[in-house]
Amino acid sequence: MPYSRAWHISAIPASFAMVLLQAHFLILLAAVVFARGFSIPQADHQHRDTADKTVLILGGGVAGVIAARTLHERGIKDFIIIEGRNELGGRLRSTSFGGKTVELGANWVQGTQTDGGPANPILTLVKKHKVQTQFNDYFGSLTTYDKTGPVDFLDVFNASVDAFTELTVAAGPRVSKSLVDLTSRGGYTLTGVRPRDAHAKAAEYFNFDWEYAQKPDQSSWVASSWNNNFTYDVDQGGFSEDNLLAIDQRGFKAFIQEEAKEFLDPSQIMLNAIVKTVSWSGVGVTVVLEDGRSISGDYALCTFSLGVLQNDDVVFKPSLPDWKQEAIASMTMGTYTKIFLQFPENFWFDTEMGLYADPERGRYPVWQSLDHESFLPGSGIIFATVTGDYSERIEALSDTQVKAEVLGVLYSMFPNVTVPDPLDFMFPRWFSDPLYRGSYSNWPPSFFREHHDNLRANLGRLFFAGEATSQKYFGFLHGAYFEGLNVGQELVKCIKGKGCVGLKHSKEVKNTSPYGI
Ligand SMILES: Cc1cc2nc3c(=O)[nH]c(=O)nc-3n(C[C@H](O)[C@H](O)[C@H](O)COP(=O)(O)OP(=O)(O)OC[C@H]3O[C@@H](n4cnc5c(N)ncnc54)[C@H](O)[C@@H]3O)c2cc1C
Ligand SMILES: *[C@@H]1O[C@H](CO)[C@@H](O)[C@H](O)[C@H]1NC(C)=O
Ligand SMILES: *[C@@H]1O[C@H](CO)[C@@H](O)[C@H](O)[C@H]1NC(C)=O
Ligand SMILES: *[C@@H]1O[C@H](CO)[C@@H](O)[C@H](O)[C@H]1NC(C)=O
């Protein structure tokens, strides 16, 4: 555990009254900035004498660590990462289960590299830090089931893979002809895809929900197509079609923790530090932690998840302007839940994946075998995935109830096998976790490009970055990486220049053709 002790800031002014005065001053100044319509005052370098740090980086996930590295590389060392958990990595989160390290959060490098084309930066870090991964053939190594047991519906599955590609192609003209966005469900219907039975619905789930953590009905047709294209479609600037599953027993997080170790000094990290309030303005940002400590910075970068921003876990002072609140409220936080079981031995399939078509769409559909020669042979571990509303549903149940449901599904899938009691059972509750409030963001059809600009835009000296602020790669590790890099560069410009313009925003997102009756 490289960073396992809590860090105390020695530079915090002892006088509480001073801190209060300072916060008061900031709020007053913020009001002035508001009145001036957010033009950012010229860099107020006098303020630096009173702030504890030049930059406060709120959150130590991929975006926070990469922003920190960007500052470091440009000679800005006076920053601190403030992280609520006891380690860096954020949604790269592993745990010990059944004697093995398994991933509760991110697990794949999604899109790798094709010939000399652009490399996924996560792949680059994975190679650099020798994180063990394996190609996961999730379209080609699959066994299919329904409530009667094993049933081969790979023809239906393959048709659904093609239907998804067709969906992303048919979204092209929506963009080139400036047509309004629709839901991906609308897109499927218009391209002639209407899944009616359990097999077709499970196949569609695998190709859509299992990636976006929400239903086609809840997702933007254009944005989900872009999101796929920019990562997986080489013709559209994507990396490759391949997915590498991390099986490193240090955890997938090793790539970011090892990278952090190369440049971070322990004094630049504060762990087990939960931020409760963020007071922001055009001249600086002050945060107050759960334990009452207060830290100020000339600038702050908030990398908390969209789910955290949507809840009142962190209070902003003054409250965020309408355009920011509208953007935060309008993007969606999806949930992706892996349910792990360990058995005395593998009684299931020899393929990497299993797909189960329940009469109810989204009910324990996708199964991944870790007890496979490519992954963790002999481990006896298999896991199921549920997403979206179904994840929220099971988070409200007890572990015992969920275990009984999942075993019921295995009894249906393997009617001729006496399924033994699992040795171990576990699933994480991302949606209920106040440090995440879900797994990753998904772009709904009522979310416009201006909304996305507003989600990314800074408020005076308070900046934002994370997977959700990535227009091309929302939901992915590489989205968080590129956003951390970009905002790090913006911060460098601000700090080294004389004041900064920051990122653009729209005060109001208008209808191009207003409603009327
Ligand atoms: C189940 C799951 C599966 C996924 N699978 C993949 C995958 O296979 N491939 C892929 O590319 N991506 C995947 N993702 C998405 C990927 O994990 C994220 O896009 C990425 O990790 C987000 O990084 P971030 O820096 O934006 O946010 P985070 O990692 O969330 O970093 C923010 C940090 O802020 C901290 N924090 C939050 N609130 C506070 C507070 N009040 N005070 C102090 N600290 C706080 C959090 O602890 C966290 O460490 C998955 C995510 C999940 C959850
Ligand atoms: C489905 O596609 C895979 C390739 O991804 C192929 O190997 C398999 O034969 C196809 N099966 C059917 C039934 O079409
Ligand atoms: C996605 O990629 C396909 C194939 O390259 C392309 O035809 C389509 O226009 C792209 N979709 C969008 C929304 O850009
Ligand atoms: C299960 O057993 C029954 C009765 O012996 C048999 O008809 C059926 O084919 C078996 N199913 C599988 C999947 O082996």
Side-chain angles (χ1 to χ4, degrees):
M1 281 285 144
Y3 307 118
S4 56
R5 68 192 177 96
W7 290 91
H8 296 271
I9 300 278
S10 48
I12 294 177
S15 155
F16 188 54
M18 257 276 298
V19 174
L20 267 183
L21 261 173
Q22 191 178 318
H24 197 79
F25 171 73
L26 288 182
I27 289 164
L28 262 176
L29 257 159
V32 173
V33 174
F34 249 126
R36 292 176 51 189
F38 277 93
S39 61
I40 308 302
Q42 291 300 297
D44 173 7
H45 284 293
Q46 295 94 302
H47 182 77
R48 288 192 58 166
D49 304 334
T50 56
D52 299 317
K53 297 283 166 188
T54 305
V55 187
L56 308 179
I57 299 178
L58 312 181
V62 169
V65 170
I66 297 303
R69 192 187 68 184
T70 309
L71 295 177
H72 173 90
E73 283 169 351
R74 298 294 306 277
I76 297 163
K77 315 262 162 110
D78 185 33
F79 60 78
I80 189 154
I81 297 180
I82 303 176
E83 167 56 48
R85 288 187 58 237
N86 62 356
E87 62 174 354
L88 298 176
R91 283 171 262 176
L92 282 159
R93 192 167 177 181
S94 52
T95 193
S96 173
F97 176 81
K100 296 286 180 190
T101 298
V102 297
E103 302 299 331
L104 301 172
N107 208 157
W108 293 285
V109 179
Q110 304 200 267
T112 54
Q113 185 175 22
T114 304
D115 304 325
N120 183 329
I122 303 302
L123 177 71
T124 308
L125 287 177
V126 155
K127 284 184 178 164
K128 177 177 172 189
H129 298 293
K130 302 191 166 47
V131 173
Q132 202 187 345
T133 61
Q134 274 290 337
F135 172 65
N136 189 181
D137 188 10
Y138 58 58
F139 297 110
S141 179
L142 180 75
T143 311
T144 50
Y145 301 83
D146 69 15
K147 70 173 201 292
T148 67
V151 179
D152 185 343
F153 59 90
L154 283 174
D155 52 341
V156 173
F157 178 80
N158 284 6
S160 179
V161 173
D162 295 343
F164 177 78
T165 305
E166 177 53 32
L167 179 77
T168 63
V169 170
R174 311 286 326 162
V175 181
S176 58
K177 295 165 91 180
S178 291
L179 305 177
V180 294
D181 199 2
L182 302 175
T183 63
S184 289
R185 170 61 62 222
Y188 270 131
T189 303
L190 291 172
T191 52
V193 179
R194 299 177 183 83
R196 291 191 219 274
D197 61 18
H199 296 174
K201 287 178 184 177
E204 182 192 77
Y205 177 97
F206 187 102
N207 286 286
F208 198 95
D209 308 41
W210 191 51
E211 186 68 62
Y212 298 96
Q214 285 206 293
K215 297 182 177 119
D217 320 56
Q218 298 164 308
S219 308
S220 150
W221 183 8
V222 167
S224 43
S225 302
W226 269 336
N227 189 259
N228 172 78
N229 282 3
F230 296 135
T231 287
Y232 292 117
D233 186 341
V234 176
D235 294 337
Q236 305 283 317
F239 310 116
S240 81
E241 290 187 346
D242 292 345
N243 294 287
L244 304 179
L245 190 79
I247 49 169
D248 198 297
Q249 291 298 294
R250 294 171 293 172
F252 192 17
K253 64 193 175 195
F255 80 79
I256 200 76
Q257 292 185 345
E258 292 301 315
E259 186 69 4
K261 267 191 213 163
E262 285 192 355
F263 71 90
L264 279 180
D265 184 83
S267 67
Q268 291 171 309
I269 313 163
M270 220 177 153
L271 296 173
N272 305 305
I274 309 247
V275 174
K276 292 309 277 184
T277 63
V278 177
S279 301
W280 57 278
S281 77
V283 293
V285 178
T286 300
V287 303
V288 178
L289 306 182
E290 201 174 44
D291 62 10
R293 281 180 290 170
S294 158
I295 309 162
S296 62
D298 292 332
Y299 298 87
L301 167 60
C302 177
T303 72
F304 300 156
S305 77
L306 174 72
V308 168
L309 297 178
Q310 287 175 341
N311 283 276
D312 51 10
D313 303 303
V314 178
V315 174
F316 289 87
K317 295 182 181 174
S319 53
L320 300 175
D322 289 350
W323 58 265
K324 192 71 172 181
Q325 290 195 32
E326 180 177 325
I328 291 169
S330 305
M331 186 80 170
T332 311
M333 192 68 176
T335 305
Y336 184 104
T337 312
K338 303 188 212 175
I339 305 159
F340 293 87
L341 300 111
Q342 187 191 38
F343 290 98
E345 60 178 17
N346 181 333
F347 60 83
W348 45 93
F349 37 83
D350 299 329
T351 51
E352 298 176 19
M353 313 294 301
L355 177 62
Y356 165 68
D358 191 89
E360 181 185 344
R361 190 184 184 281
R363 187 166 182 273
Y364 308 110
V366 180
W367 292 78
Q368 275 178 269
S369 178
L370 288 178
D371 191 345
H372 183 280
E373 57 183 0
S374 294
F375 308 122
L376 303 172
S379 64
I381 300 174
I382 184 168
F383 66 98
T385 302
V386 297
T387 55
D389 298 341
Y390 210 87
S391 290
E392 294 179 30
R393 174 188 168 271
I394 70 163
E395 285 199 19
L397 302 180
S398 70
D399 283 18
T400 316
Q401 284 171 304
V402 175
K403 183 169 149 183
E405 290 188 359
V406 167
L407 284 174
V409 166
L410 286 174
Y411 302 152
S412 300
M413 290 167 73
F414 303 99
N416 294 1
V417 174
T418 307
V419 174
D421 271 344
L423 301 172
D424 214 346
F425 175 85
M426 179 261 306
F427 72 96
R429 287 177 168 81
W430 288 101
F431 180 71
S432 322
D433 188 332
L435 292 178
Y436 302 94
R437 301 278 183 206
S439 299
Y440 49 85
S441 64
N442 185 39
W443 188 312
S446 58
F447 194 76
F448 296 94
R449 212 210 52 235
E450 290 87 345
H451 280 137
H452 212 289
D453 289 340
N454 290 354
L455 196 61
R456 292 183 93 217
N458 56 305
L459 290 163
R461 293 195 169 200
L462 175 61
F463 285 72
F464 295 84
E467 55 81 13
T469 65
S470 173
Q471 300 193 333
K472 287 185 168 178
Y473 316 109
F474 57 89
F476 290 119
L477 287 165
H478 47 281
Y481 180 101
F482 284 124
E483 289 298 292
L485 186 67
N486 182 71
V487 87
Q489 289 162 347
E490 286 295 328
L491 283 165
V492 169
K493 274 194 240 162
C494 293
I495 295 162
K496 297 206 165 182
K498 296 243 175 280
C500 59
V501 181
L503 302 170
K504 66 177 172 186
H505 75 266
S506 303
K507 275 189 145 176
E508 288 178 323
V509 180
K510 301 250 184 184
N511 233 337
T512 46
S513 166
Y515 300 114
I517 296 172

